[in-house]
């Protein structure tokens, strides 16, 4: 099965009928002409065997049209090379750029990016400090990480087209905009700091190995911190100059960088070949290199690569010409420059350094060769403290432990403290660059084939080079030379250069041009990555960097990149910058592996990579290695990188643009939701886990606007429980005719929820009448175990008016249905007087009138309300009613104990209600209530008789269908005239016989002679008595909560029930009637 995912522009309708179609969010396509008339459509599809589908062609095009459009579809942005050609030649815009194959497009660029500054400047030092075994483990771990990442990346890259943005595009489309933006920024920062590292390496080669005299801050004669500061200042000055020049080159024309790319790559390859050739040569001929003596004879010669030792300490070779204290000239013994460096005069009786006097000067072969057996000596690590002297193992030395070290500038010193994790951080940048192929996916002939093959081959080749280099360096070079980072013991030569053949200058110049090229590539790639992130508009404050020159070159992004790169230059130490970029690259690689693992485990239908040699276990292993290496390199840098990524993630989540890319995180959410819902189905929640999952029943006006927005304010204030919220609304009509109104109502509800900061869902139900729609919401709201357990509804206003009678009946049915469904019910009285979320009560009380116990919800609600800032400063008072035979003092003690165990802080008061005689006013009020109910009933029956006559006229053959009093039957079309809607019901003959009011409408005259029902009199009396007590105690309260009486079982007393509620709450400003769901919701137990 083939799945196409295509995004098309909105289609503009040209007629009212089409406007209706497109307002329903119908699909539109760029190859459909919306203005085509019906006659033209008939001609257009005539003879194509599509007559059955002619009416659907606007939304469902022919397959041939779709495939034709897809064949011409292109979303690949032009590369920098094409931008430059377009700038120089307008006709080049129409020209198709030549496509590259695996070798030129992926393999060689990856090789150039992976092999670089660390190999030439630090690899020998890493082997010397970490030992062959330790360094091999580091190299193996790092290469394994990049290989596993390349496998994951190959799977993602071959699962569809990867446009500009490379790794950022892959991660963002696999893990979503939040992760994509966070990791994209980290990858951008890593690439930018990589540019700083390459520039620092370039300056180090220039000032130390090519032209040391060019140093602005002279280091001759300086020791310790002063010499280090001078070197760093030189790096800063020259680094800033080189960065400015490179940024100018990139700004003026990237085409020059592209033209020089092959030259830089050739330098790298020649340098590596020179090293291998030198290794082979050491097996039969130790290397020579040029050295200039400045002695009395002033000559230059080729000498063997030898290291001069004083005792077991390595000497800086630039301070002397002959590795000896004295030499024989004729018949006399003459002192050398080495003597004068450690003694106060050139005479034999001079006072000399104690260590110099007690130890002999010896020479060792710096590069004994691959057959010398030096590998055994270099097998294990030799870590050094900063400013410690580089010493040769196994060479005896006479040393006074209490003597202070003098003439430190004559010895080779360690510039930093070395340890295993530091070596990991410094080495890892040398294996980065594996994304070079995927970043060029738009320029490849067959990206699906070239990216996996080229990237994996490049990693295999470079891994072989690195691993073999570790073994060969340890087998050919002496340990003191390996640990001599800047080659001070071999006359200031690049250590790896002393091994190369035919000349050290091959390595020196090769590494110099290599670092220059790598720096230019970083300054070229990083701005384009930032531009891709900015153009996605997921990070609002970066949008300005999406703009550039007319041809699309990222000018502003280049400026920001240069500024960030300058911060790396100011650090000025290659060893300090390397761990920083290691963090960002490792984080990027970790999320590439995570993306592949997620897509594989979730088995999304769109996950169909052409590259088949992947597995989720390999991706998880690669992710684990990345995380391990991050903390091995530097735990504090790892934390900083994670904090940066987390901040960007949260910023995008709260402020960024909402994007739907079909990412894996959405798939995780679906899987997690399904799992959680299945777990919830295992049984009802424990009382300790109970929280109000609220269904808010909103009423809409004719314009589909919410009539009681304060219901959502109260919902937001109750959500300290962090439960589910469903905002339900009802639209009267049929689904086919009223779907647009339902969509509008849904949007209104969602917008209001956003304003009131209510986290939840909106659900709009369309039904033939509002009563059934409300019933559907109560029954079908939620999903599985995630269902509402509480219904929040507003008390109907003006329910006594005849035109509002249906609202009254609907409300009572809601009470009945929630009771039957064992749902809690919250009814707000005077909802317009409730506070908004912006208001604050600085004082006042929340009064709870605990009449009967129905689960404890009445006690829980004020606690939840006080968690919100609106009610936070209100105090809770709990009132309970004592009868004549109750001990009110003991009740108060018991209630205080109960509240103490519940951990509720509230005032307690027991109100005694004495028996009193029923007043005449109560008797009269009950009588008026019953008379009113009788009048309404008679009016309703008269209306039913009229409707029954209409029904009989329509046709006696029709079979009548009984309906419930709350579900009026929808009329037939013939019964409806314009501007009038008739509702018809049917009354059973037995009902007509048994109901004298129906049989004889004249009986309505007797209602004025009727006597009130004694049960109703008692209820009215109790309501009045209780209301009097509540008003007396709680008239000034900010909110009154009290138990809500249940509805009558006999439907004849519905209007009386509403009157009882009205009397009960009369004279109170804000009332919340609470009816429990029949289960305990609070507990005293832990």
């Amino acid at each position: 099965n083939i799945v196409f995912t295509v995004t098309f522009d909105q289609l503009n309708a040209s007629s009212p009928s089409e406007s209706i179609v497109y307002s329903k969010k119908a699909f539109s396509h760029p190859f459909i002409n919306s203005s085509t008339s019906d006659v033209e459509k008939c001609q257009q599809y005539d003879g194509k065997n599509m007559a059955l589908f002619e009416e659907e062609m606007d939304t469902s095009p022919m397959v041939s049209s779709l495939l034709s459009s897809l064949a011409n579809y292109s979303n690949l942005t032009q590369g920098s090379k094409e931008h430059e050609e377009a700038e120089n030649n307008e006709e080049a815009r129409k020209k198709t750029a030549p496509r590259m194959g695996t070798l030129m497009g992926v393999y060689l660029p990856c090789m150039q990016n992976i092999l670089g500054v660390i190999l030439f400047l630090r690899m020998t030092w890493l082997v010397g400090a970490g030992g062959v075994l330790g360094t091999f483990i580091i190299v193996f771990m790092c290469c394994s990480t990049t290989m596993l990442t390349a496998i994951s990346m190959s799977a993602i890259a071959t699962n569809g087209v990867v446009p500009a943005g490379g790794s950022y595009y892959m991660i963002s489309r696999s893990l979503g905009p939040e992760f994509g933006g966070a990791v994209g920024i980290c990858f951008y920062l890593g690439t930018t700091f990589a540019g700083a590292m390459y520039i620092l390496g370039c300056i180090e080669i220039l000032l130390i190995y090519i032209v040391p005299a060019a140093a602005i801050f002279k280091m001759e004669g300086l020791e310790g911190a002063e010499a280090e500061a001078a070197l760093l200042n030189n790096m800063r000055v020259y680094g800033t100059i080189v960065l400015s020049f490179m940024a100018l080159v990139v700004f003026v024309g990237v085409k020059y960088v592209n033209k020089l790319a092959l030259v830089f790559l050739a330098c790298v390859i020649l340098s590596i070949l020179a090293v291998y050739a030198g290794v082979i040569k050491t097996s039969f001929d130790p290397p020579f290199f040029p050295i200039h003596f400045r002695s009395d004879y002033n000559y230059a010669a080729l000498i063997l690569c030898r290291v001069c030792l004083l005792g077991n300490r390595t000497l800086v070779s630039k301070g002397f010409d002959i590795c000896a204290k004295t030499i024989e000239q004729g018949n006399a013994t003459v002192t050398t420059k080495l003597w004068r460096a450690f003694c106060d005069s050139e005479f034999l009786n001079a006072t000399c350094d104690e260590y110099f006097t007690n130890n002999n000067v010896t020479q060792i072969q710096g590069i004994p060769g691959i057959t010398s057996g030096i590998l055994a000596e270099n097998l294990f690590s030799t870590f050094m403290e900063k400013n410690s002297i580089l010493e040769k193992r196994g060479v005896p030395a006479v040393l006074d432990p209490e003597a202070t070290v003098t003439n430190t500038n004559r010895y080779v010193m360690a510039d930093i403290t070395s340890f295993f994790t530091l070596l990991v951080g410094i080495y890892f940048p040398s294996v980065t660059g594996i994304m070079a192929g995927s970043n060029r996916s738009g320029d490849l002939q067959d990206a699906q084939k070239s990216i996996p093959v080229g990237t994996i081959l490049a990693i295999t080749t470079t891994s072989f080079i690195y691993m073999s280099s570790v073994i060969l360096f340890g087998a050919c070079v002496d340990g003191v030379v390996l640990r001599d980072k800047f080659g001070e013991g071999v006359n200031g030569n690049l250590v790896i250069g002393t091994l190369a053949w035919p000349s050290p200058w091959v390595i020196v110049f090769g590494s110099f041009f290599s670092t220059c090229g790598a720096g230019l590539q970083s300054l070229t790639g990083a701005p384009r990555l930032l531009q891709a992130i900015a153009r996605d508009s997921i990070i609002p404050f970066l949008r300005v960097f999406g703009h550039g020159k007319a041809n699309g070159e990222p000018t502003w992004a280049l400026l920001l990149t240069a500024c960030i790169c300058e911060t790396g230059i100011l650090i000025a130490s290659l060893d300090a910058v390397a761990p920083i970029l290691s963090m960002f690259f490792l984080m990027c690689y970790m999320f590439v592996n995570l993306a592949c693992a997620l897509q594989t485990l979730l088995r999304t239908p769109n996950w169909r990579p052409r590259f088949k040699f992947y597995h989720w276990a390999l991706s998880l292993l690669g992710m684990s290695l990345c995380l391990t290496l991050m903390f091995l390199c530097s735990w504090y840098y790892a934390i900083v990188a994670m904090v940066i990524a987390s901040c960007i993630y949260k910023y995008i989540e709260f402020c960024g643009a909402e994007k739907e890319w079909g990412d894996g995180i959405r798939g995780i959410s679906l899987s997690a939701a399904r799992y959680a819902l299945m777990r919830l189905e295992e049984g009802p929640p424990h009382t300790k886990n109970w929280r109000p999952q609220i269904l808010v029943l909103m009423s809409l006006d004719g314009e589909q606007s919410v009539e009681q927005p304060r219901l959502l304010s109260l919902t937001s204030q109750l959500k300290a429980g962090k439960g589910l919220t469903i905002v339900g609304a009802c639209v009267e009509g049929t689904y086919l005719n009223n779907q647009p109104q339902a969509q509008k109502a849904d949007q209104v509800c969602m917008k209001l929820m956003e304003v009131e900061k209510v986290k939840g869902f909106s659900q709009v139900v369309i039904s033939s009448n509002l009563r059934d729609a409300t019933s559907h919401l109560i029954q079908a709201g939620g999903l599985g175990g995630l269902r509402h357990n509480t219904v929040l509804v507003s008390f109907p206003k003006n329910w006594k008016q005849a035109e509002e009678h249906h609202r009254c009946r609907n409300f009572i049915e809601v009470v009945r249905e929630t009771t039957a469904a064992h749902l809690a019910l919250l009814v707000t009285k005077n909802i317009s007087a409730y506070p908004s979320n912006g208001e604050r009560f600085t004082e006042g009380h929340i009064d709870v009138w605990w009449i009967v116990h129905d689960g404890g919800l009445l006690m829980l609600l004020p606690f939840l309300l006080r968690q919100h800032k609106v009610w936070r400063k209100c105090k809770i008072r709990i009132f309970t009613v004592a009868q004549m035979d109750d001990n009110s003092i003991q009740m108060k003690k018991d209630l205080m104990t109960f509240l103490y165990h519940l951990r509720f802080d509230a005032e307690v008061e027991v109100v005694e209600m004495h028996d009193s005689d029923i007043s005449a006013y109560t008797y009269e009020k009950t009588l008026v209530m019953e008379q009113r109910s009788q009048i309404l009933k008679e009016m309703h029956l008269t209306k039913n008789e009229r409707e029954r006559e209409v029904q009989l006229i329509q046709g006696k053959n029709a079979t009548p269908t009984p309906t419930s009093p709350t579900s009026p039957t929808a009329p037939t079309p013939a019964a409806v005239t314009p501007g009038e809607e008739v509702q018809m019901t049917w009354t059973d003959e037995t009902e007509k016989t048994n109901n004298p009011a129906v049989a004889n409408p004249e009986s309505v005259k007797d209602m004025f002679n009727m006597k009130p029902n004694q049960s109703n009199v008692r209820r009215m009396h109790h309501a009045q008595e209780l209301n009097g007590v509540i008003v007396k105690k709680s008239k000034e309260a900010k909110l009154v909560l009290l138990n809500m009486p249940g509805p009558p079982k006999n439907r004849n007393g519905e209007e009386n029930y509403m009157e009882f509620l009205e009397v009960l709450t009369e004279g109170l400003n804000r009332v919340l009637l609470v009816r429990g769901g029949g289960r305990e919701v609070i507990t005293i137990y832990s």
Side-chain angles (χ1 to χ4, degrees):
N1 294 327
I2 302 176
V3 179
F4 293 97
T5 304
V6 189
T7 304
F8 299 104
D9 294 329
Q10 192 92 18
L11 188 63
N12 294 323
S14 59
S15 67
S17 61
E18 290 172 348
S19 299
I20 294 173
V21 173
Y22 300 130
S23 68
K24 296 179 182 178
K25 297 185 179 180
F27 293 107
S28 57
H29 302 278
F31 42 80
I32 297 291
N33 184 4
S34 61
S35 61
T36 306
S37 65
D38 293 338
V39 177
E40 291 174 344
K41 286 181 181 178
C42 292
Q43 295 174 353
Q44 182 178 357
Y45 300 116
D46 188 29
K48 295 186 178 180
N49 298 320
M50 298 297 293
L52 287 176
F53 302 95
E54 282 181 3
E55 294 183 357
E56 301 177 14
M57 284 298 166
D58 286 335
T59 57
S60 304
M62 290 186 293
V63 174
S64 59
S65 301
L66 178 65
L67 295 178
S68 175
S69 174
L70 288 174
N72 298 322
Y73 176 72
S74 175
N75 192 30
L76 298 177
T77 58
Q78 287 181 313
S80 56
K81 183 176 180 181
E82 287 73 21
H83 281 315
E84 291 294 340
E85 290 177 353
E87 186 181 37
N88 296 333
N89 186 1
E90 289 295 328
E91 295 181 359
R93 297 181 187 272
K94 303 178 182 179
K95 220 185 286 182
T96 302
R99 298 294 182 178
M100 294 181 288
T102 303
L103 180 67
M104 295 299 296
V106 181
Y107 180 73
L108 292 180
C110 285
M111 287 275 291
Q112 182 183 2
N113 279 269
I114 295 173
L115 299 172
V117 61
I118 300 297
L119 174 64
F120 299 122
L121 295 183
R122 293 293 182 268
M123 198 66 193
T124 53
W125 176 76
L126 290 171
V127 176
V132 174
L133 284 179
T135 310
F136 190 87
I137 292 172
I138 293 173
V139 172
F140 181 79
M141 284 175 57
C142 295
C143 291
S144 299
T145 301
T146 54
M147 179 60 77
L148 293 172
T149 304
I151 292 172
S152 300
M153 183 195 70
S154 298
I156 298 173
T158 57
N159 189 50
V161 179
V162 180
S167 57
Y168 158 71
Y169 184 91
M170 290 189 294
I171 296 171
S172 61
R173 269 56 178 181
S174 298
L175 292 179
E178 293 87 1
F179 276 108
V183 180
I185 291 296
C186 287
F187 190 54
Y188 162 73
L189 292 175
T191 307
T192 304
F193 275 102
M197 183 187 73
Y198 292 132
I199 292 173
L200 290 174
C202 170
I203 302 304
E204 184 176 310
I205 295 170
L206 181 70
L207 293 181
I208 296 180
Y209 304 113
I210 299 180
V211 279
I216 297 175
F217 300 91
K218 303 298 180 183
M219 292 178 287
E220 295 180 4
L222 298 179
E223 296 185 18
E226 294 180 350
E228 182 180 0
L231 175 62
L232 295 180
N233 288 331
N234 284 321
M235 302 284 279
R236 292 184 181 106
V237 172
Y238 278 99
T240 303
I241 295 171
V242 172
L243 172 63
S244 303
F245 175 73
M246 287 185 174
L248 184 62
V249 170
V250 173
F251 176 77
V252 170
V254 182
K255 60 182 178 182
Y256 303 113
V257 179
N258 292 329
K259 289 178 180 178
L260 292 173
L262 287 177
V263 177
F264 297 142
L265 179 60
C267 293
V268 174
I269 295 174
L270 287 176
S271 300
I272 293 172
L273 292 177
V275 172
Y276 280 108
V279 169
I280 296 172
K281 182 175 176 292
T282 61
S283 61
F284 56 86
D285 186 14
F288 290 84
F289 59 89
I291 181 171
H292 294 271
F293 291 122
R294 289 185 296 274
S295 62
D296 296 336
Y297 301 100
N298 193 17
Y299 67 91
L302 288 171
I303 67 165
L304 287 171
C305 180
R306 292 186 178 274
V307 180
C308 190
L309 301 178
L310 176 61
N312 62 355
R313 295 176 177 176
T314 307
L315 295 172
V316 176
S317 58
K318 286 188 177 181
F320 54 90
D321 49 6
I322 299 175
C323 184
K325 294 181 179 181
T326 60
I327 57 172
E328 298 292 332
Q329 279 189 352
N331 294 327
T333 301
V334 181
T335 58
T336 61
K337 285 187 177 182
L338 184 60
W339 176 282
R340 292 192 285 274
F342 285 92
C343 301
D344 57 3
S345 70
E346 61 182 11
F347 302 108
L348 293 175
N349 60 351
T351 303
C352 298
D353 181 82
E354 182 180 357
Y355 187 84
F356 179 78
T357 304
N358 295 337
N359 291 275
N360 295 325
V361 176
T362 56
Q363 263 189 324
I364 62 169
Q365 178 65 27
I367 303 179
I370 196 170
T371 58
S372 63
I374 197 71
L375 179 63
E377 183 181 326
N378 294 329
L379 208 56
F380 301 103
S381 61
T382 307
F383 299 121
M384 301 177 64
E385 296 289 332
K386 184 177 181 179
N387 295 326
S388 61
I389 300 173
L390 183 59
E391 298 177 348
K392 167 73 174 171
R393 287 178 180 175
V395 176
V398 179
L399 176 64
D400 183 1
E402 298 180 358
T404 58
V405 179
T406 57
N407 296 295
T408 54
N409 59 335
R410 306 299 180 187
Y411 302 113
V412 179
M413 310 282 288
D415 65 325
I416 59 173
T417 300
S418 56
F419 44 90
F420 182 80
T421 56
L422 174 73
L423 304 187
V424 176
I426 293 176
Y427 172 74
F428 187 80
S430 65
V431 296
T432 59
I434 61 174
M435 301 288 186
S438 61
N439 290 342
R440 298 178 176 222
S441 58
D443 300 325
L444 301 175
Q445 289 179 355
D446 186 0
Q448 309 281 323
K449 176 184 176 183
S450 297
I451 290 177
V453 174
T455 304
I456 292 175
L457 280 179
I459 293 175
T460 303
T461 305
T462 53
S463 299
F464 171 78
I465 292 173
Y466 282 126
M467 291 180 184
S468 61
S469 297
V470 171
I471 298 172
L472 293 176
F473 291 162
C476 295
V477 186
D478 192 275
V480 291
V481 179
L482 289 173
R483 290 186 291 278
D484 187 359
K485 183 184 291 186
F486 302 110
E488 295 173 294
V490 287
N491 203 47
N493 283 277
L494 185 62
V495 174
I496 193 174
T498 61
L499 185 62
W501 180 86
S503 169
W505 293 109
V506 175
I507 293 289
V508 172
F509 284 108
S511 58
F512 176 76
F513 288 115
S514 168
T515 51
C516 288
L520 283 171
Q521 293 288 346
S522 297
L523 289 179
T524 303
R528 281 164 178 75
L529 177 60
L530 180 62
Q531 187 182 44
I533 298 172
R535 285 182 173 176
D536 266 344
S537 298
I538 58 174
I539 305 179
F541 71 85
L542 290 181
R543 286 173 185 162
V544 65
F545 299 107
H547 307 294
K549 292 195 287 187
N551 58 9
E553 286 297 299
T555 307
W556 293 107
L558 175 62
L559 183 62
L560 178 64
T561 301
C563 293
I564 297 175
C565 193
E566 177 64 20
T567 61
I569 298 295
L570 294 177
I571 295 175
S573 172
L574 182 70
D575 301 323
V577 173
I580 296 176
L581 64 101
S582 294
M583 292 302 109
F584 294 123
F585 278 120
L586 279 167
M587 183 167 289
C588 178
Y589 296 166
M590 179 175 70
F591 280 99
V592 169
N593 285 296
L594 176 61
C596 180
L598 281 181
Q599 299 279 28
T600 307
L601 289 173
L602 292 175
R603 299 178 182 176
T604 54
N606 195 48
W607 179 246
R608 301 181 304 277
R610 292 188 180 276
F611 180 78
K612 301 299 182 184
F613 304 101
Y614 69 93
H615 194 270
W616 61 266
L618 294 177
S619 299
L620 289 180
L621 178 61
M623 186 181 71
S624 303
L625 277 174
C626 289
L627 192 61
T628 303
L629 287 175
M630 284 179 68
F631 283 92
L632 276 180
C633 293
S634 174
W635 64 268
Y636 46 89
Y637 279 159
I639 293 175
V640 169
M642 289 182 172
V643 167
I644 292 174
S646 301
C647 291
I648 297 171
Y649 178 94
K650 299 305 291 185
Y651 176 80
I652 297 173
E653 187 178 31
F654 286 107
C655 304
E658 294 183 1
K659 299 283 185 179
E660 176 53 59
W661 288 330
D663 50 86
I665 295 299
R666 182 62 59 89
I668 290 181
S669 301
L670 290 173
S671 298
R674 179 184 61 82
Y675 175 77
L677 287 172
M678 297 301 292
R679 286 292 304 273
L680 288 174
E681 283 288 283
E682 294 177 1
H686 191 273
T687 302
K688 291 186 290 185
N689 296 326
W690 193 94
R691 57 184 61 181
Q693 320 277 24
I694 301 178
L695 169 63
V696 186
L697 296 179
M698 309 289 291
S699 58
L700 306 174
D701 58 17
E703 299 297 327
Q704 309 304 324
S705 299
V706 175
E707 291 183 346
Q708 304 105 0
R710 290 295 171 87
L711 270 179
L712 283 184
S713 301
L714 179 62
T715 304
S716 175
Q717 295 156 22
L718 278 171
K719 292 319 287 180
K722 305 296 183 185
L724 171 73
T725 300
I726 301 175
V727 177
C730 306
V731 174
E732 193 170 7
T734 63
Y735 184 78
L736 294 178
N737 296 331
N738 298 91
Q739 187 185 7
Q741 291 91 322
Q743 291 178 349
K744 180 181 178 182
D746 185 65
Q747 293 173 0
V748 169
C749 291
M750 291 297 293
K751 187 174 181 180
L752 186 59
M753 290 171 68
E754 185 178 350
V755 171
E756 298 293 344
K757 298 181 180 179
V758 174
K759 301 292 185 181
F761 309 98
S762 172
Q763 188 171 359
V764 179
V765 173
I766 305 174
S767 184
S768 58
N769 59 82
L770 297 180
R771 170 80 289 279
D772 288 346
T774 306
S775 180
H776 297 334
L777 276 173
I778 294 175
Q779 294 178 58
L783 178 63
L786 194 64
R787 290 177 46 80
H788 54 273
N789 54 27
T790 306
V791 177
L792 175 62
V793 66
S794 177
F795 192 84
K797 293 173 60 178
N798 305 322
W799 61 271
K800 294 183 179 181
Q801 298 178 7
E803 58 270 16
E804 297 292 327
H805 185 63
H806 67 284
R807 290 182 181 268
C808 170
R809 297 175 66 89
N810 287 348
F811 172 76
I812 296 174
E813 288 302 308
V814 168
V815 179
R816 284 199 173 99
E817 289 181 359
T818 53
T819 303
H822 301 290
L823 301 175
L825 178 64
L826 308 179
V827 179
T828 59
K829 187 85 181 295
N830 301 329
I831 184 61
S832 58
Y834 277 64
S836 66
N837 288 330
E839 297 180 40
R840 303 285 187 279
F841 287 133
T842 57
E843 59 181 0
H845 295 90
I846 300 175
D847 287 356
V848 179
W849 285 85
W850 193 18
I851 314 299
V852 294
H853 179 68
D854 56 356
L857 181 60
L858 198 68
M859 317 286 283
L860 183 63
L861 289 176
F863 169 77
L864 296 178
L865 284 173
R866 288 194 71 237
Q867 308 303 308
H868 196 273
K869 53 191 175 183
V870 173
W871 306 92
R872 188 165 294 153
K873 294 187 178 180
C874 293
K875 296 180 179 179
I876 302 176
R877 295 189 301 188
I878 297 181
F879 298 89
T880 188
V881 177
Q883 304 301 324
M884 286 296 296
D885 54 349
D886 292 331
N887 185 341
S888 58
I889 298 176
Q890 186 62 38
M891 280 182 65
K892 184 173 182 179
K893 289 181 180 179
D894 294 342
L895 181 55
M896 292 178 66
T897 304
F898 181 58
L899 293 177
Y900 174 78
H901 288 304
L902 287 176
R903 290 88 65 199
F904 285 166
D905 184 17
E907 299 178 16
V908 174
E909 184 172 345
V910 177
V911 178
E912 295 181 352
M913 290 188 65
H914 303 287
D915 290 338
S916 61
D917 296 332
I918 299 174
S919 64
Y921 173 75
T922 303
Y923 191 88
E924 182 181 355
K925 190 174 182 67
T926 307
L927 182 60
V928 171
M929 176 188 72
E930 292 185 351
Q931 289 174 350
R932 178 183 175 278
S933 300
Q934 189 67 24
I935 290 172
L936 289 174
K937 188 182 300 181
E938 295 297 337
M939 290 175 61
H940 183 65
L941 290 173
T942 305
K943 181 182 178 182
N944 286 347
E945 289 176 356
R946 292 200 308 268
E947 291 171 351
R948 186 165 57 254
E949 292 175 2
V950 173
Q951 183 180 7
L952 292 173
I953 292 173
Q954 291 298 322
K956 296 182 179 180
N957 295 329
T959 303
T961 304
T963 59
S964 67
T966 60
S967 301
T969 305
T972 59
V976 181
T977 59
E980 181 183 3
E981 195 174 79
V982 180
Q983 291 184 333
M984 296 175 294
T985 59
W986 172 70
T987 305
D988 198 295
E989 289 297 327
T990 56
E991 180 183 349
K992 185 173 181 179
T993 305
N994 296 334
N995 194 336
V998 177
N1000 183 17
E1002 295 297 328
S1003 63
V1004 71
K1005 297 177 181 179
D1006 298 331
M1007 67 182 178
F1008 293 105
N1009 301 322
M1010 62 188 295
K1011 295 182 179 181
N1013 185 290
Q1014 290 301 314
S1015 176
N1016 288 339
V1017 172
R1018 287 198 312 273
R1019 288 191 176 95
M1020 181 65 74
H1021 176 66
H1022 181 246
Q1024 286 182 331
E1025 289 290 315
L1026 191 56
N1027 174 257
V1029 175
I1030 295 174
V1031 171
K1032 181 180 178 180
K1033 298 285 185 180
S1034 303
K1035 186 175 181 62
E1036 302 299 326
K1038 301 300 182 184
L1039 179 65
V1040 177
L1041 293 88
L1042 72 156
N1043 294 110
M1044 181 178 181
K1049 296 180 180 180
N1050 183 5
R1051 293 183 181 273
N1052 294 329
E1054 290 176 346
E1055 290 82 4
N1056 300 342
Y1057 174 68
M1058 295 296 294
E1059 189 70 41
F1060 294 146
L1061 294 180
E1062 193 71 52
V1063 171
L1064 181 63
T1065 57
E1066 189 177 4
L1068 299 174
N1069 187 21
R1070 302 183 192 92
V1071 182
L1072 183 61
L1073 297 169
V1074 180
R1075 186 163 176 78
R1079 61 159 297 171
E1080 293 291 334
V1081 300
I1082 55 174
T1083 178
I1084 64 174
Y1085 298 105
S1086 171

